[in-house]
């Protein structure tokens, strides 16, 4: 499989080159040249298989010719070994036709572990083969950072730098990053918002000399592997709930549009999906887009679901590429306009039959957490609440699988206010608040960040 850029100007790359490169040199995002598809018969053969086996079948067409079957199986085995549930991503029935897909059984309690454990092992595998080293730079609104750090800690061939917006991530989230003291892990608190952090990362990636000098790579969801690994649980969940026979709906709490784009990929691959429900918090740019066809940024407002406090959803560019019939020149034009003016217009058209969107404010989040506790006896985190409320609001036919993107103990304050209960951390993390922290504070400046990284990498 070859990978092409959404902006049409970067040369196509094979899988391993694409993995190391992250963002395409023309500023675009890599996507597979074609979508592999599974027939209904093929999908039927997956029913009843383990998470590992389905992961192998789903990912194989994307890595073909570059990673052998034996090596892919070993990578999957290693990546999901640290997970706490034997089913890896279990599905739980909440009520009637509403199901919860639990994606918080990895090392850092959020769905990002499902992709980043795999990506860390994959980097290691490729770098070892090539005898190379890389510098990973990423921005986090909370959960990506800790999951990336867990995936990369202690690996000789990697220096990892993670930016988080100072004071805008929860204490559990911050400590999950800053208490990892391995020498190759560098946490930086940026005076600004998540979007500022993301722009710094983009700036450095768009500086070719620097990029080359430190062999820069990405782990945020601009890296295709993140999406690819997340496609797997849409298959396992749908197969569990409907046996892959009838179409199913997914409700996805959305920020950067990465997780829900993975659902779109599963749909393109032939998984019977009727609707994809985009849940947003008060930072509702995506919901406004699906209602109006106009993408227009506003200021980021802090909410109870901080991992979704985003106004620029990087992965939307991948959908835009599909909406434009894969015309990179048009995407480039539109993304340039978006950068210059903070807005673009693109009719939702036929994609409106697949996507629905719903916005939930902080009050709604509190109410939903309380309601699910009272009616189903389940504690859910504030991000999960956005998806569950969106699923209930959608009033669509058939079963809806709502994604539980984080463990309630990751956001204990909101859960406590809503239910009066304090969710406890899994045993292996119970001393998190006693561990030593390490991080540096930097202003919102690309030059300072470059110097900081160079000092570490060239030392
Ligand atoms: C990252 C994250 C989201 C948003 O996911 P995207 O892929 O950025 O849309 C939602 N909830 C939680 C808990 C997250 O960590």
């Amino acid at each position: 499989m070859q990978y092409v850029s959404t902006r049409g100007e970067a040369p196509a790359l094979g899988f391993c080159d694409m993995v190391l490169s992250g963002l395409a040199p023309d500023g675009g995002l890599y996507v597979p040249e074609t979508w592999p598809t599974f027939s209904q018969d093929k999908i039927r053969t997956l029913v009843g298989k383990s998470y590992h086996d389905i992961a192998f079948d789903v990912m194989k067409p994307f890595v073909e010719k570059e990673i052998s079957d034996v090596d892919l199986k070993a990578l999957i085995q290693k990546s999901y070994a640290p997970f706490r549930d034997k089913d890896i991503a279990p599905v739980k029935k909440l009520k009637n036709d509403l199901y919860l897909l639990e994606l918080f059984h990895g090392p850092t309690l959020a769905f990002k572990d499902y992709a980043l454990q795999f990506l860390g092992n994959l980097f290691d595998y490729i770098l070892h083969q090539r005898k190379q080293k890389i510098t990973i730079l990423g921005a986090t609104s909370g959960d990506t950072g800790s999951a990336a750090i867990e995936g990369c800690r202690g690996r000789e061939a990697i220096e990892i730098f993670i930016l988080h917006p100072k004071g805008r991530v929860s204490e559990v989230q911050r400590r999950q990053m800053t208490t990892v003291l391995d020498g190759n892990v560098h946490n930086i608190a940026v005076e600004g918002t998540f979007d500022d952090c993301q722009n710094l990362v983009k700036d450095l990636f768009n500086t070719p000399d620097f990029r080359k000098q430190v062999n820069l790579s990405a782990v945020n969801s601009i890296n295709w592997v993140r999406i690819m690994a997340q496609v797997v649980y849409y298959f396992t969940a749908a197969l569990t709930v409907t046996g892959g026979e009838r179409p199913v709906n997914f409700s996805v709490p959305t920020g950067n549009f990465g997780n829900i784009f993975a659902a779109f990929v599963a749909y393109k691959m032939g998984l019977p999906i009727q609707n994809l429900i985009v849940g947003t918090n008060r930072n509702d740019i995506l919901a406004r887009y699906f209602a109006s066809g106009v993408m227009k940024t506003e200021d980021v407002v802090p909410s109870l679901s901080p991992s979704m406090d985003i106004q620029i959803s990087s992965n939307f560019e991948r959908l835009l590429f599909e909406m434009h019939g894969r015309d990179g020149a048009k995407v480039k034009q539109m993304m340039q306009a978006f950068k210059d003016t903070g807005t673009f217009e693109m009719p939702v058209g036929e994609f409106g039959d697949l996507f629905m969107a719903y916005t939930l404010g902080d009050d709604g989040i509190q109410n939903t957490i309380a309601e699910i506790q009272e009616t189903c006896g389940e504690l859910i985190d504030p991000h999960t609440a956005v998806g569950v409320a969106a699923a209930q609001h959608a009033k669509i036919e058939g079963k809806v699988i709502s994604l539980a993107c984080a463990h309630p103990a990751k956001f204990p304050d909101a859960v406590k206010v809503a239910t009066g209960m304090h969710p406890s951390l899994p045993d292996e993390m119970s001393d998190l608040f006693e561990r030593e922290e390490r991080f540096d504070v930097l202003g919102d400046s690309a030059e300072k960040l470059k110097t900081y990284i160079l000092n570490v990498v060239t030392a």
Side-chain angles (χ1 to χ4, degrees), residues 248-261:
V248 70
N249 306 284
F250 285 101
S251 184
V252 187
T254 307
N256 236 334
F257 209 77
N259 205 359
I260 194 150
F261 190 78

Side-chain angles (χ1 to χ4, degrees), residues 110-112 143-144 253-260 307-308 310 381 383 405-406 411:
F111 78 85
K112 297 189 169 81
D143 298 328
T144 310
T254 307
N256 236 334
F257 209 77
N259 205 359
I260 194 150
S307 299
M308 297 158 61
I310 289 168
D381 101 285
H383 304 80
C405 289
F411 303 92

Side-chain angles (χ1 to χ4, degrees), residues 285 294-298 336-344:
I285 180 167
V294 179
M295 190 73 87
K296 187 173 188 308
T297 54
E298 287 176 2
Q336 190 57 48
F338 191 54
K339 193 172 178 199
D340 295 342
T341 66
T343 182
F344 69 71

Side-chain angles (χ1 to χ4, degrees), residues 61 136 161 164 176 222-223 283 294 297 378 388 414 416 425:
I136 285 173
F161 297 82
H164 69 266
Q176 281 185 325
I222 57 181
N223 194 310
N283 298 290
V294 179
T297 54
E378 281 292 323
V388 167
K416 177 90 197 270
L425 286 166

